Amino acid sequence: MDHARAAISNLFGGEPTSYTRFSIARQMDGDNSHVEMKLAADDEEGGEIERPEHLHASMPPPRRNGKNLCFIIMAAVLLLLIGFLIGYLSYRGRMQRVNRCLDGSGNCEMTPTASYFSDDGTEEEEVPGPRILYWPELRNMLSAKLSAERLGTNLRQREGKSSFEAGKFEDESTASYIHEQFTSFRLDDVWNDEHYIRLQDKGSDNEVSVIENGREESLERPDAYVAYSKSDTVIGKPIYVNYGQKEDFQHIRHMGVPMNGTIIIFRAGKITLAEKVANAREEGAVGALMYLGPSDYKNTDLLVPFGHAHLGTGDPFTPGFPSFNHTQFPPVESSGLPRIPVQTISSQVAAKLFSKMDGEKCLPEWTSGITGCKVTVSSSSNLTVKLTVNNIMVDRKILNIFGVIKGFEEPDRYVVLGAQRDSWGPGVAKAGVGTAILLELAHVISDMVKNDDYRPRRSIIFASWSAGEYGAVGATEWLEGYASTLHAKAFTYINLDTAVLGSSHIKISASPLLYSLLETTMKRVKDPTMDSRYLYSRVGSDWVKRVVPLDLDNAAFPFLAYSGIPVVSFGFYDEGDEYSFLGTTKDTLANLKEKTDKLYPLMRTAAEVAGQIALRLTHDHELFLDFDRYSEELLSFQEKILQFDSKVKELGLTLKWLFYARGDFQRAADALRRDIANSDRENRIVRRALNDRMMKVEYDFLSPYLSPKDAPFRHIFFGKGSHTLQSLLENLELLGVNKESVDVNKLKEQLALATWTIKGAANALVGDIWNTDNEI
């Protein structure tokens, strides 16, 4: 280094005390050669050379300057390399610690600043800003702030009120309260979304009676009613069809009992009322009655539930259109309307009706806890049932209430948390629990942003829906109003409805994209019913096998099946011991507390699960959406249909193109995973592009070959209709039972729709058009 200082001093006019000499010799060693460079002082004995004054003047400047310049370049390069290595090792160590903090595997004592590099790769000055909250700290903060006491206060808002029917005073009053609460939480924006919808209300008394030997006997005039039932009076022989599932109707057909022109009776459970009514209508029934079976719903002998019979979601009089104003749309109706009168009755009246029937006895598993259960009347009996429905149509304004915490990096990408607000009765379990959780999460997360330096990358929207009792009307109308943009911006919907109906079991409905995130969350949330244990220990490693398919009455269903947005619905219940009062006038706080003595701790736990999912999706650089799960779902489907390959070939068709499409999706998923692994996570443009590809996976499983108006639920996994993979599987299963009953053209169309929808999803997952392969 002394030599270097001397050379630099000489270069800028100083007088060096010594100079250097380079000795270069080429040595040959077999086929290899190298250059040996020797750096030494002129005084090889280490002594300092005294130079006469005239030496300076007589030395040739070019020679001395050339040597010094060469040495300076060597020293500069060496210093540059050392500096680069030090900087790289320091940066790498810092990023490793950041990664450990992000995934929760390491300590996070460090307080990093912003990235050293801007998006274009140029170095930028570090500007001190708010502290960065890493995931473990953020998760613990959420847990510490959630309050069971506040949840109880919010839930008690429904006490002493008999009904929150959509569009009426109590519903609007609750909407105003939620709007005020969102505003008081200092959310970034709070707004209302108005819709003018057509609903059914009860008119004059509906009545169920029996006619025998020319004499009519009234059995019941219920206060409850079924929305969207046809208003009419019909008479027919009674037939009991258990839960009203397709297999139940098939059993009646095998008994040789004709169902055309009859009034079908079924008990609640297994599938929605709308699906039961649709099955009855297919068999030619002229009316339908439903009751709460005592074996499924305890202490409900005199209770009559409310319900709706629309096989769909949203306003059935503006199918596919948002209900902003009816005058803007043609006078069309949903094909899911029942077209027959439908009414609910008490189990006491059902028992009385069975006692008058003299036909074949019910199967043991069909009795539903009613003594003397009968399937129908004998051929010699003249007993008939008379059903009168006098429902009336009304136009009503409903309000959806929204609040938002805007993201700091990508405000146009958001998670939506939503809860139904309306109910026919007090609706504590149906709507009160979800609304209370919604308010608590809005309060806590806003507090974390305003007071604790949390800066979510993406936005969080809190939504309170109206007219949920009529088939997720408020949520569906919002989706229809923004159908062209929502799928590209909203990447997850978290449903908070009916989060606590018991305590012993966990009920999960979710898109496969969210399975991994949900599992990770359950491993970190404590189980309130088991001290020091986590929720995951209750559900077990095979919990995915028990995921419950979403039904039409779940507000998450239209998000997934209509808009192609990943969803999750999480809650507590008691398997085999249903909460009896859902959808009745007895859905009160007292009855829910009687069902579980840990109501508020369970609500807090459900809020923590939903909150962690929302925060994780808005915190991480990479969206926590596991698209590999759909590869597994497709492989599982392929294994189910593989056994029918020979049967399909006998029809002149083949399954190989469908299998090829599945393989393409698998390869596309692998390619995206590689792209993510090889990407620069600090580059926001690249990161956003990769996240957008993950976001679209769900949407790409909506069949593009169907009209949203004619087939609104186009999702091939979770939709409704002949285009779904489930419908294809049922048709293939029919091949093994009765080959002649299979419509070959329909099967061919199903195979084509499934193949090209999966192939299209694979192409979209790849990304750029030049990376796709359309060799099917």
Side-chain angles (χ1 to χ4, degrees):
M1 295 305 292
D2 289 336
H3 294 305
R5 284 195 297 270
I8 293 171
S9 175
N10 185 35
L11 182 65
F12 291 96
E15 288 294 329
T17 57
S18 64
Y19 63 94
T20 59
R21 179 177 76 245
F22 290 88
S23 175
I24 302 177
R26 181 177 298 273
Q27 297 181 359
M28 305 298 296
D29 184 11
D31 292 333
N32 299 319
S33 65
H34 68 275
V35 177
E36 180 180 346
M37 181 178 293
K38 296 181 179 180
L39 179 63
D42 272 9
D43 183 5
E44 295 182 352
E45 297 176 359
E48 183 173 340
I49 300 177
E50 292 185 5
R51 290 169 292 135
E53 293 183 0
H54 69 270
L55 182 61
H56 178 70
S58 63
M59 288 181 62
R63 179 183 176 189
R64 182 193 64 190
N65 289 345
K67 291 180 179 180
N68 289 341
L69 183 60
C70 186
F71 177 81
I72 290 168
I73 292 173
M74 292 277 305
V77 170
L78 182 62
L79 290 172
L80 182 63
L81 288 173
I82 293 172
F84 176 79
L85 287 173
I86 293 173
Y88 170 75
L89 293 173
S90 174
Y91 178 76
R92 183 183 179 206
R94 183 178 69 87
M95 291 310 299
Q96 286 176 341
R97 294 188 66 186
V98 168
N99 291 338
R100 288 196 297 271
C101 286
L102 287 171
D103 63 19
S105 62
N107 66 66
C108 302
E109 296 174 359
M110 60 182 290
T111 306
T113 59
S115 170
Y116 286 128
F117 298 94
S118 61
D119 288 341
D120 60 5
T122 59
E123 189 172 350
E124 60 182 17
E125 183 180 356
E126 293 185 36
V127 180
R131 66 192 180 103
I132 293 179
L133 294 173
Y134 292 110
W135 175 241
E137 185 179 0
L138 193 63
R139 182 182 65 219
N140 294 336
M141 184 185 296
L142 171 72
S143 182
K145 285 179 177 288
L146 288 171
S147 167
E149 183 179 349
R150 277 197 306 266
L151 285 163
T153 300
N154 287 330
L155 187 57
R156 285 189 290 273
Q157 293 288 325
R158 301 182 85 87
E159 278 192 304
K161 298 169 184 176
S162 61
S163 176
F164 292 80
E165 195 168 340
K168 291 188 176 180
F169 175 77
E170 289 297 349
D171 177 46
E172 290 192 345
S173 177
T174 306
S176 297
Y177 172 75
I178 293 172
H179 192 287
E180 291 169 2
Q181 289 294 297
F182 282 174
T183 303
S184 70
F185 299 155
R186 297 187 296 160
L187 300 185
D188 293 329
D189 203 356
V190 179
W191 72 99
N192 298 343
D193 187 50
E194 293 184 356
H195 292 278
Y196 296 86
I197 62 175
R198 183 167 294 172
L199 302 176
Q200 234 186 17
D201 208 344
K202 185 183 176 185
S204 56
D205 287 345
N206 297 342
E207 185 176 15
V208 179
S209 58
V210 291
I211 301 174
E212 188 173 16
N213 299 324
R215 189 171 66 88
E216 182 176 342
E217 178 187 354
S218 178
L219 297 181
E220 191 167 36
R221 292 180 177 179
D223 290 329
Y225 68 99
V226 175
Y228 304 123
S229 164
K230 180 181 180 181
S231 293
D232 198 1
T233 297
V234 293
I235 298 174
K237 287 190 174 184
I239 297 179
Y240 174 59
V241 196
N242 197 24
Y243 288 109
Q245 297 173 286
K246 288 186 178 295
E247 53 266 36
D248 297 327
F249 283 98
Q250 187 175 6
H251 178 77
I252 297 296
R253 286 196 300 271
H254 289 164
M255 290 174 60
V257 178
M259 288 176 276
N260 191 51
T262 62
I263 291 181
I264 300 296
I265 307 168
F266 35 65
R267 55 173 164 160
K270 302 295 184 182
I271 58 176
T272 65
L273 172 56
E275 291 171 298
K276 298 173 192 287
V277 173
N279 291 339
R281 185 187 170 199
E282 283 182 10
E283 299 295 336
V286 297
L289 300 171
M290 187 186 78
Y291 69 95
L292 299 173
S295 60
D296 296 322
Y297 303 92
K298 297 179 175 61
N299 304 316
T300 58
D301 290 353
L302 300 176
L303 281 182
V304 181
F306 291 84
H308 78 88
H310 176 215
L311 189 65
T313 65
D315 183 353
F317 299 98
T318 58
F321 301 98
S323 296
F324 293 125
N325 188 328
H326 281 290
T327 61
Q328 297 179 18
F329 307 110
V332 293
E333 294 183 355
S334 168
S335 60
L337 288 171
R339 317 292 180 188
I340 60 174
V342 186
Q343 178 60 51
T344 48
I345 58 176
S346 65
S347 60
Q348 187 179 68
V349 167
K352 190 172 183 179
L353 187 55
F354 286 148
S355 69
K356 293 180 178 294
M357 296 162 61
D358 62 350
E360 189 171 338
K361 290 183 178 181
C362 298
L363 296 172
E365 59 270 25
W366 281 30
T367 59
S368 74
I370 294 180
T371 304
C373 175
K374 308 287 196 317
V375 173
T376 185
V377 295
S378 65
S379 58
S380 61
S381 173
N382 61 5
L383 177 75
T384 57
V385 173
K386 180 180 178 182
L387 171 60
T388 300
V389 174
N390 294 309
N391 296 348
I392 58 174
M393 300 304 303
V394 294
D395 290 327
R396 206 173 283 169
K397 182 184 79 170
I398 62 169
L399 295 174
N400 294 326
I401 310 299
F402 298 93
V404 63
I405 296 172
K406 295 180 180 178
F408 285 77
E409 287 187 15
E410 298 179 275
D412 61 337
R413 299 289 185 268
Y414 33 82
V415 171
V416 182
L417 295 104
Q420 172 183 326
R421 184 181 68 248
D422 67 299
S423 60
W424 273 304
V428 170
K430 187 69 175 288
V433 168
T435 298
I437 293 174
L438 180 73
L439 289 171
E440 176 67 6
L441 287 173
H443 175 262
V444 167
I445 297 176
S446 179
D447 183 62
M448 292 167 65
V449 173
K450 304 300 181 185
N451 301 319
D452 295 291
D453 294 329
Y454 176 48
R455 298 167 64 87
R457 284 187 170 84
R458 305 168 194 95
S459 299
I460 304 174
I461 292 178
F462 304 92
S464 174
W465 312 115
S466 186
E469 293 281 40
Y470 294 84
V473 174
T476 302
E477 296 309 310
W478 185 65
L479 290 171
E480 289 177 343
Y482 304 95
S484 61
T485 58
L486 270 180
H487 69 274
K489 296 185 176 183
F491 55 87
T492 296
Y493 177 70
I494 303 171
N495 184 42
L496 306 175
D497 293 335
T498 59
V500 181
L501 298 175
S503 59
S504 60
H505 296 85
I506 294 174
K507 183 178 183 178
I508 298 170
S509 299
S511 160
L513 289 175
L514 293 169
Y515 285 173
S516 295
L517 174 55
L518 189 54
E519 181 169 305
T520 300
T521 301
M522 289 190 292
K523 288 179 178 178
R524 287 293 184 176
V525 176
K526 291 287 184 68
D527 188 339
T529 64
M530 302 178 184
D531 293 339
S532 73
R533 294 183 65 183
Y534 292 96
L535 292 174
Y536 185 73
S537 64
R538 192 199 295 202
V539 299
S541 59
D542 61 344
W543 66 272
V544 172
K545 297 178 182 178
R546 296 185 296 279
V547 169
V548 180
L550 288 167
D551 60 45
L552 287 166
D553 289 341
N554 193 315
F557 180 79
F559 277 86
L560 179 62
Y562 174 78
S563 294
I565 297 170
V567 302
V568 60
S569 183
F570 176 95
F572 297 94
Y573 77 115
D574 295 329
E575 188 174 0
D577 184 16
E578 299 284 346
Y579 175 66
S580 302
F581 308 108
L582 208 62
T584 73
T585 56
K586 297 296 183 181
D587 185 9
T588 62
L589 183 58
N591 281 331
L592 186 56
K593 282 185 173 180
E594 188 175 333
K595 180 64 175 171
T596 173
D597 59 354
K598 293 184 177 292
L599 174 59
Y600 299 136
L602 289 167
M603 288 174 63
R604 186 194 170 282
T605 301
E608 187 170 359
V609 170
Q612 279 204 27
I613 292 172
L615 290 179
R616 193 68 186 266
L617 288 168
T618 56
H619 168 272
D620 290 3
H621 290 274
E622 177 188 325
L623 287 179
F624 208 136
L625 299 176
D626 189 357
F627 48 87
D628 289 318
R629 291 281 188 168
Y630 265 120
S631 295
E632 297 172 10
E633 293 291 323
L634 286 170
L635 181 59
S636 175
F637 177 73
Q638 177 174 312
E639 291 170 351
K640 290 178 182 177
I641 66 173
L642 187 58
Q643 59 182 307
F644 304 108
D645 190 40
S646 59
K647 296 283 186 182
V648 171
K649 287 179 179 177
E650 291 176 6
L651 299 176
L653 303 175
T654 180
L655 297 176
K656 70 176 183 179
W657 306 118
L658 186 57
F659 297 160
Y660 289 163
R662 187 215 57 87
D664 286 343
F665 186 88
Q666 175 69 64
R667 287 185 288 275
D670 293 342
L672 178 54
R673 186 61 68 195
R674 286 194 300 272
D675 288 347
I676 293 171
N678 297 329
S679 68
D680 177 9
R681 66 182 301 165
E682 293 294 312
N683 189 317
R684 295 181 184 178
I685 296 175
V686 171
R687 188 175 69 228
R688 182 178 171 99
L690 291 171
N691 283 338
D692 283 352
R693 284 164 66 183
M694 286 190 281
M695 279 176 58
K696 285 189 86 277
V697 170
E698 200 77 73
Y699 180 79
D700 290 328
F701 282 117
L702 301 184
S703 179
Y705 309 103
L706 302 172
S707 164
K709 178 179 174 294
D710 299 328
F713 307 122
R714 296 176 293 142
H715 203 296
I716 63 171
F717 282 95
F718 303 105
K720 300 288 183 182
S722 61
H723 64 281
T724 62
L725 298 183
Q726 179 60 35
S727 179
L728 171 59
L729 178 60
E730 291 172 358
N731 218 6
L732 290 173
E733 289 173 340
L734 198 58
L735 277 176
V737 179
N738 185 0
K739 180 180 177 181
E740 303 302 323
S741 64
V742 176
D743 185 335
V744 177
N745 288 330
K746 179 182 177 181
L747 180 59
K748 187 175 183 179
E749 181 179 303
Q750 286 180 311
L751 288 170
L753 287 175
T755 299
W756 282 109
T757 300
I758 295 169
K759 178 61 180 175
N763 289 346
L765 196 60
V766 167
D768 296 316
I769 191 67
W770 48 85
N771 291 326
T772 61
D773 175 13
N774 289 307
E775 295 181 1
I776 283 190

